[in-house]
Every structure is written in structure tokens, then in C-alpha cells.
Amino acid sequence: MNFDFTEEQQLLRKTVRQFVDSEIMPFISKWDTDGSFDPAIWKRLAQLGLMGVCIPEKYGGAGMDYNSLAIVCEELERGDTAFRTAVSVHTGLNSMTLLQWGTEAQKQKYLMPQAKGEKIGAFGLTEPGAGSDVASMASFAKREGDVYILNGQKTWISLCDVADHFIVFAYTDKSKKHHGITAFIVERTMPGFSSKAIKGKYGIRAGNTGELFFEDVRIPVENRLGEEGEGFKIAMSALDNGRFTVAAGAVGLISACLEASVKYCKERMTFGKYIGEHQLVGQMIAKMEAGYQMSRLLVYRVGELKNQGVRNTRETSLAKWQACDFANKAADDAVQIHGAYGYSDEYPVARYLRNSKAPVIYEGTREIHTIMQADYVLGRRVDKPLNKMLPKWPFEE
Ligand SMILES: Cc1cc2nc3c(=O)[nH]c(=O)nc-3n(C[C@H](O)[C@H](O)[C@H](O)COP(=O)(O)OP(=O)(O)OC[C@H]3O[C@@H](n4cnc5c(N)ncnc54)[C@H](O)[C@@H]3O)c2cc1C
């Protein structure tokens, strides 16, 4: 396996880093406090080709490989988790799912403008009564001729007020349990659709998260994604891509924790020494570094598996679980290293700690990934190739 980044990937990293340094860093503290950000950021992300970095050029993307998406996520989360979450949802959970499961017409109509950044995509799986236990969802879509009538509610949906298109999951046949769930592409403009932001979040405050409501939303049959009953499988395959981006972002968060902590270690003195010279502080720095390097290896290995077009649910779950746990711990230690100053807005580390918590919950909680890994190792879970796989890279034109 080759661990070197190509020149193109190095340039991509530099571009995103410069963008984060000049267009996110100076404003993020205010956006985080106000719970908002300048929507012009979307246009800039699109101009830089970051809204469809690993989508084939024939569908409006940049045509780069899957590890390039990891680079974008890693660098964006160095700035703030809200922006990486937006790319995770837009590209990882929505666009890549359309690429894998969409019809040619759906790709032309929905994927193309999303990859170009002209439209924004999001993903509605979680419900008030159904998070980890997806099959306990209540949303239902009843077929009547050429349309499905969708009723239900989703919650904790990233980009709820911002996205133009949503991939939404609902039962079409409750008696079939997991096999009775179907995926749909829902447009914000469809009558009966509404959304509402959740206020007072602990972290990712510069991001938009909230509820979706469907009251007799009429969805044309051509907006069904995959076949009836394939929704659960589609949702899980979408999570393989979303989790990859979350794990990559966690690597970026650890690097941000390291950056801030190393700097502070060389500034702050106690007992006549810089605090970095105290062994117990050095130990926290060493653990951050170990978490950073291990997470990176796990993440870029998954990207390579995606490039090869092979199933990677097991490896992605491991990378997401470990990288997010390492990031959460690194952020906690970064606050510790900063002492009381870390507990204020004066330094970014308190924001890192708040932001590091949601990734341990969304796209499979820490506990769900622990169960998955135990199941794989104990032979209770074995993955087979899906009937439709994400295209391998380089893409066929
Ligand atoms: C900021 C943010 C953004 C989000 N964005 C999206 C989005 O864009 N789209 C979307 O669909 N969802 C999104 N979510 C929702 C997220 O995916 C869910 O919160 C997550 O799946 C967990 O579900 P839950 O919150 O209902 O917790 P629950 O499933 O109710 O779990 C509660 C606790 O019980 C534990 N638990 C549950 N089952 C088991 C078990 N079998 N064994 C051991 N422990 C268990 C969990 O690990 C957890 O600790 C987002 C969440 C957040 C916080």
C-alpha cells in the first residue's frame, strides 16, 4: 500500500488549508457564539470544487479519488466541525449514495447540481423514536398510482433548513421490518414538506441541525431511490461513506488540538518551566500524537479500499469509532493542558471539546461500533458485496 499523497492531493490539502485559515478561522468564534455562519461560504466551497470532490466529472464533480474527500474533511474540521459535517452530509451521505444507487435520470437531475455545488443535499434517517434502532422508524409512504404519499417526521437532521434535496427513508411495508423500508429523494419545494432548526446545541453551533416534517408529501415514483424494500441496505451503505468522512474529520480535529496544545505548552510556565516540560503534560501530547497517527492510518486505508471498489463496512466502522474516540479524548486533554484558559472562549479548545462529542454519537454511536466490531471478530457478522457498489476509482468516463 502506498501512503504517499499525489501532487494533486497535496495541492488540494493546501487549497483547503488556505481557505480554512483565511475564510473560516477569523470568523468561527463569532459564528459558533451566534449559532450561524455566512451562507456565502457555500459558494466559496463550490467555487473551489469542494462540494463534489470525489464525484466523477461526468456528473459535475472533480473526479478525484475517495482519499481526496478525506483530505477535504480533515482540513475543514481543522477549522470547525460544522463545515466538515456539511460536507459529510452533502457529499458522503447524499451525493455518494446517489452515485451508488441512483438511476441515470436521478444522477442528472440531483447529483449533477449537487456535485457542482449549485444545490445542497442532506440525509434524513433519524426519527424522534428511532436513532440507533433504525427499523423502529414510524415514517410511512403509501403508493397511489405514480406517486408515494409520505407522512412522518425526522429529527437531528444536519442542513435541515439549508438543503434543497433530502434522501429520506420510510416504511412502504411495515410487515417486512428492515426489508419494508424504502429510500426517496424529497425536494424542499414539495408541498407538505417543512423544517425547523434545533436551538441550544452543545456543539457544532455554527451548523444547522433540526427536524423535517412530511404531511402528505406527494413523491413521484421516479424519485424512489433503489427498489421498494432496499431502503435499509441503502441507508447502511450511505453510512459507510458518511462515517469515512466523519473519521477523516476527527483526524483534523486531533491535529487542531495538537496545534493549539503544543503552542500553549511553549508559552505557559509553572514551577519555573514551560508546561510542556512536565512529564504528565508531555504524556497528554504523546497520546494525542498517537491518536492522530493511528486514526490517519485507519482512515486512509479505508479510502484505498473504496478506491479499489471493495466493501469496507467493517474497516469504516473501526476507523470512525477509533478516530472519533481519539478526537474526543484529544479535545478533553487540550482543554486540560490550557487549564482555566481552556475553559473559556479565549482559546479554541473548549469549542473543539464541544464539537468532538456529536461525532461519537452520530453515524453510529460508540456503543454501536463496539458491538459491530465484536460481531465481526466473533464471526456473528460477515459482509457480502452489495448488488450495487460505489464505483471504483479511477472512474470510467
Ligand atoms: C449534531 C448531530 C447531527 C446529526 N445529523 C444527522 C443527519 O444528518 N441525519 C440523520 O439521519 N441523523 C443525524 N443525527 C442523528 C444521529 O445519527 C443519532 O443521534 C444517532 O444515530 C443515535 O441515535 P439516538 O440519538 O436516537 O440515540 P439512541 O439510539 O436512543 O441511543 C441512546 C444511547 O443508548 C445506546 N444504545 C442504543 N442501542 C444500544 C445497544 N443495542 N447496545 C448498547 N447501547 C445502545 C447508544 O449508544 C446511546 O448511548 C445527528 C445527530 C447529531 C447530534
Side-chain angles (χ1 to χ4, degrees), residues 103-141:
T103 62
E104 190 53 36
Q106 289 169 343
K107 287 175 189 168
Q108 294 297 332
K109 185 171 178 187
Y110 295 107
L111 176 58
M112 182 85 96
Q114 287 182 192
K116 289 181 183 168
E118 295 163 359
K119 297 280 182 189
I120 297 170
F123 184 82
L125 181 63
T126 306
E127 297 192 0
S132 308
D133 183 7
V134 169
S136 64
M137 72 170 60
S139 293
F140 194 82

Side-chain angles (χ1 to χ4, degrees), residues 85 89 93 122-128 130-133 155-159 201 203-204 209 358 361-368 371:
T85 299
V89 169
L93 289 174
F123 184 82
L125 181 63
T126 306
E127 297 192 0
S132 308
D133 183 7
T155 193
W156 287 104
I157 306 307
S158 306
L159 307 179
K201 279 181 298 173
I204 318 192
T209 322
I361 296 170
Y362 60 42
E363 304 216 23
T365 63
R366 172 189 286 148
E367 292 71 35
I368 292 301
I371 292 167

Side-chain angles (χ1 to χ4, degrees), residues 84-330:
R84 194 275 306 146
T85 299
V87 168
S88 288
V89 169
H90 172 84
T91 304
L93 289 174
N94 189 314
S95 296
M96 288 169 79
T97 309
L98 294 178
L99 180 64
Q100 184 168 353
W101 297 95
T103 62
E104 190 53 36
Q106 289 169 343
K107 287 175 189 168
Q108 294 297 332
K109 185 171 178 187
Y110 295 107
L111 176 58
M112 182 85 96
Q114 287 182 192
K116 289 181 183 168
E118 295 163 359
K119 297 280 182 189
I120 297 170
F123 184 82
L125 181 63
T126 306
E127 297 192 0
S132 308
D133 183 7
V134 169
S136 64
M137 72 170 60
S139 293
F140 194 82
K142 185 168 176 256
R143 184 157 180 176
E144 282 184 12
D146 286 345
V147 293
Y148 288 88
I149 316 286
L150 174 64
N151 281 286
Q153 182 185 347
K154 299 285 171 184
T155 193
W156 287 104
I157 306 307
S158 306
L159 307 179
C160 69
D161 295 324
V162 182
D164 301 283
H165 316 141
F166 298 82
I167 296 178
V168 171
F169 300 85
Y171 271 106
T172 43
D173 185 347
K174 276 203 170 149
S175 68
K176 292 185 179 162
K177 299 192 173 162
H178 291 74
H179 299 293
I181 296 172
T182 302
F184 299 95
I185 304 167
V186 178
E187 295 185 24
R188 170 175 298 284
T189 51
M190 288 176 172
F193 175 94
S194 59
S195 66
K196 186 170 176 250
I198 292 170
K199 298 288 176 199
K201 279 181 298 173
Y202 174 64
I204 318 192
R205 291 186 182 163
N208 168 243
T209 322
E211 295 170 288
L212 308 179
F213 303 93
F214 312 100
E215 281 179 50
D216 290 329
V217 178
R218 294 173 74 82
I219 305 169
V221 167
E222 58 266 26
N223 278 35
R224 188 186 67 219
L225 188 60
E227 299 300 322
E228 265 191 26
E230 280 194 317
F232 186 80
K233 183 172 59 177
I234 293 173
M236 295 305 121
S237 78
L239 290 172
D240 284 350
N241 300 324
R243 287 168 178 169
F244 168 60
T245 63
V246 174
V251 174
L253 190 73
I254 306 172
S255 79
C257 291
L258 268 168
E259 218 175 287
S261 301
V262 167
K263 186 166 180 284
Y264 196 71
C265 277
K266 294 178 179 173
E267 287 168 8
R268 179 75 172 171
M269 294 188 85
T270 64
F271 302 97
K273 293 179 182 178
Y274 288 108
I275 60 166
E277 290 172 32
H278 296 302
Q279 279 189 354
L280 289 176
V281 175
Q283 187 181 48
M284 288 189 270
I285 296 286
K287 282 191 177 163
M288 271 185 218
E289 173 67 8
Y292 173 70
Q293 296 295 349
M294 285 191 269
S295 304
R296 249 187 154 208
L297 288 175
L298 290 173
V299 166
Y300 289 100
R301 169 186 176 231
V302 169
E304 193 49 41
L305 292 175
K306 288 185 190 295
N307 285 342
Q308 290 167 16
V310 297
R311 184 102 190 248
N312 51 78
T313 307
R314 178 177 180 166
E315 295 81 2
T316 303
S317 155
L318 183 66
K320 192 273 180 187
W321 172 35
Q322 286 303 299
C324 294
D325 262 10
F326 279 132
N328 190 214
K329 175 72 178 126

Side-chain angles (χ1 to χ4, degrees), residues 54-68:
C54 64
I55 302 300
E57 286 174 86
K58 70 174 174 182
Y59 296 123
M64 294 181 77
D65 79 328
Y66 297 110
N67 268 331
S68 300

